[in-house]
Amino acid sequence: MNPHLAPVAVPDPALLPHVQELCDLTDPYAFGPEQDALFAAAMAETNAWHTERSAFFRSLYEATPPAEPYRTPLVHANFFKRHEVLSIPREDVDLHLTSSGTTGQKSQMFFDRWTIRSAQRMVARIFDRNGWITPDQEVNYLLYSYEPAPSLNLGTAFTDNYLCDFAPARSVAYALRNTGGEHEFDPFGCIAALRRFEREDAPVRILGFPAFLFFTLERMRAMGLPPLRLPEGSLVVLGGGWKGHSDRRIGKEELYSRVTEQLGIPGERIRDTFGSVEHCIPYIECDHHRLHAPVWSRVTIRSTRTLEPLPYGERGYLHLVSPYITSVPAQSVVMGDLASLQPGDACGCELPTPWFTVHGRAGVSRNRSCAVAAAELMKGMA
């Protein structure tokens, strides 16, 4: 068995049997009444788990109307930027990650072994379904994220480095170079790596912030460099958004077209993702470039005025729910993103689960994500 798909046990099998069963589902997009019933049972277990172990969550839960779906309180992601709330002893923390970059407020998220391994296995199941786990095929990596440093515990850096485990690395190049306490964007190093990769026979995997990839393509064009043709089987998996540079953002379709034109990677091998350190469930585009909810989560759109659930097609706050997390009471997180939801059959791909579109951040805030801080490194570089 692939080690990334290996079994992992919940902290207490007697208290969390349905959480275990749900997270053990092998089809990432299983959909129907049976899965809905299992999800509801798992949510009841995880709510009871956090009610028993977190005074913070217990007070919220007792004030939540039973009619609320899964009777799960709404906790805004920004809460975790100011508070550390655990449902496990600190000695059981296996991993500590933060959400923001070099400065600014950071969400402090803590994971026990079950929670982080369960989330990683979800990513692996989706990659496996797409045929992206290739243990016998070396690849060259270009990571549009932070080069590792001893004190670096950013969620994005952790994720991108984990994605490198799905195919053995022939070489790894980083866009954000560690200069000793800081990171600097290195567009010329990215271009040099891409040109070198073109001459080799190994596929290329480009992971990370889309803004950095775009700025690399812009620099290539400004230098008058001809288009590259990266080896067959190359793959682009993006994540992190364009926060902080919305005035220079281009549409997703245009970015994908530029990648195909300048790097030779076809559109079906270019995928965007959505995720956060507060909610580690992986949302990865289908081949129609829609973000479908996997079986381990449920997505609701909430009114920006009343927080009531909205019907398909209407824009509101993105509300994400999953029972997988036992370390922190973050099984129900309201994001700072505006989004809209559509039924699965409105996509046209083979996936049956609902999908959502992110339309941008709600309002203006001093809180900055890691994409914001990373984007600041590009000032004056493009």
Side-chain angles (χ1 to χ4, degrees), residues 14-28:
L15 297 178
L16 302 167
H18 293 98
V19 173
Q20 181 78 67
E21 184 179 354
L22 177 73
C23 293
D24 281 346
L25 292 178
T26 58
D27 181 355

Side-chain angles (χ1 to χ4, degrees), residues 42-360:
M43 284 302 302
E45 289 174 356
T46 201
N47 285 340
W49 174 272
H50 291 295
T51 298
E52 177 67 24
R53 291 161 177 78
S54 169
F56 159 75
F57 181 79
R58 182 166 56 251
S59 65
L60 290 181
Y61 183 76
E62 291 173 349
T64 301
E68 180 66 29
Y70 312 115
R71 197 181 173 183
T72 301
L74 307 180
V75 180
H76 198 282
N78 281 352
F79 172 84
F80 299 103
K81 296 182 183 295
R82 298 178 174 85
H83 305 276
E84 295 182 6
V85 182
L86 281 77
S87 297
I88 58 173
R90 284 197 176 264
E91 57 265 27
D92 291 344
V93 172
D94 192 63
L95 182 68
H96 170 217
L97 296 176
T98 66
S99 63
S100 64
T102 52
T103 61
Q105 293 171 305
K106 306 178 181 183
S107 287
Q108 304 290 331
M109 296 300 292
F110 302 87
F111 303 92
D112 54 10
R113 183 180 184 277
W114 154 260
T115 299
I116 194 61
R117 282 289 296 113
S118 179
Q120 289 176 321
R121 188 172 57 163
M122 295 174 192
V123 176
R125 292 206 188 283
I126 296 176
F127 266 60
D128 187 48
R129 190 185 191 280
N130 283 287
W132 298 341
I133 297 181
T134 58
D136 298 323
Q137 173 66 69
E138 285 188 343
V139 303
N140 287 314
Y141 288 96
L142 175 54
L143 303 186
Y144 282 96
S145 60
Y146 297 89
E147 185 176 15
S151 61
L152 187 67
N153 60 352
L154 296 174
T156 51
F158 177 84
T159 298
D160 288 338
N161 282 285
Y162 173 68
L163 295 183
C164 292
D165 288 344
F166 296 138
R170 177 175 294 185
S171 67
V172 180
Y174 288 89
L176 296 180
R177 302 303 307 276
N178 177 23
T179 59
E182 296 182 352
H183 284 81
E184 294 184 2
F185 176 44
D186 182 13
F188 297 108
C190 294
I191 294 171
L194 289 169
R195 298 181 74 180
R196 183 175 72 255
F197 294 163
E198 183 190 34
R199 298 191 297 267
E200 300 186 12
D201 59 357
V204 179
R205 293 197 175 186
I206 299 173
L207 312 173
F209 298 118
F212 288 104
L213 174 56
F214 170 65
F215 274 77
T216 300
L217 298 177
E218 285 286 88
R219 184 59 60 92
M220 290 172 61
R221 180 172 285 182
M223 293 170 62
L225 296 177
L228 303 178
R229 289 295 175 264
L230 297 181
E232 183 178 356
S234 293
L235 176 69
V236 177
V237 179
L238 302 172
W242 293 68
K243 306 172 188 72
H245 282 267
S246 59
D247 58 328
R248 306 175 74 175
R249 177 175 184 163
I250 63 173
K252 183 168 63 177
E253 294 79 8
E254 183 179 352
L255 175 61
Y256 292 1
S257 178
R258 288 283 298 273
V259 172
T260 300
E261 173 193 346
Q262 292 185 255
L263 301 181
I265 301 176
E268 65 269 18
R269 302 284 295 180
I270 308 169
R271 307 290 180 93
D272 199 5
T273 67
F274 181 89
S276 72
V277 74
E278 301 91 357
H279 178 88
C280 292
I281 302 296
Y283 301 90
I284 300 177
E285 284 185 340
C286 67
D287 56 10
H288 288 202
H289 300 297
R290 299 313 183 5
L291 293 165
H292 289 259
V295 67
W296 313 290
S297 78
R298 295 296 182 270
V299 178
T300 303
I301 305 301
R302 298 274 176 174
S303 167
T304 57
R305 185 172 60 88
T306 67
L307 292 181
E308 291 298 313
L310 295 176
Y312 286 131
E314 294 195 20
R315 297 188 182 192
Y317 291 126
L318 180 63
H319 175 210
L320 304 173
V321 176
S322 176
Y324 81 107
I325 186 167
T326 54
S327 54
V328 174
Q331 69 270 41
S332 171
V333 180
V334 178
M335 308 302 297
D337 302 274
L338 291 176
S340 59
L341 189 67
Q342 299 290 347
D345 58 12
C347 177
C349 77
E350 62 179 9
L351 304 184
T353 62
W355 52 274
F356 62 93
T357 301
V358 178
H359 302 289

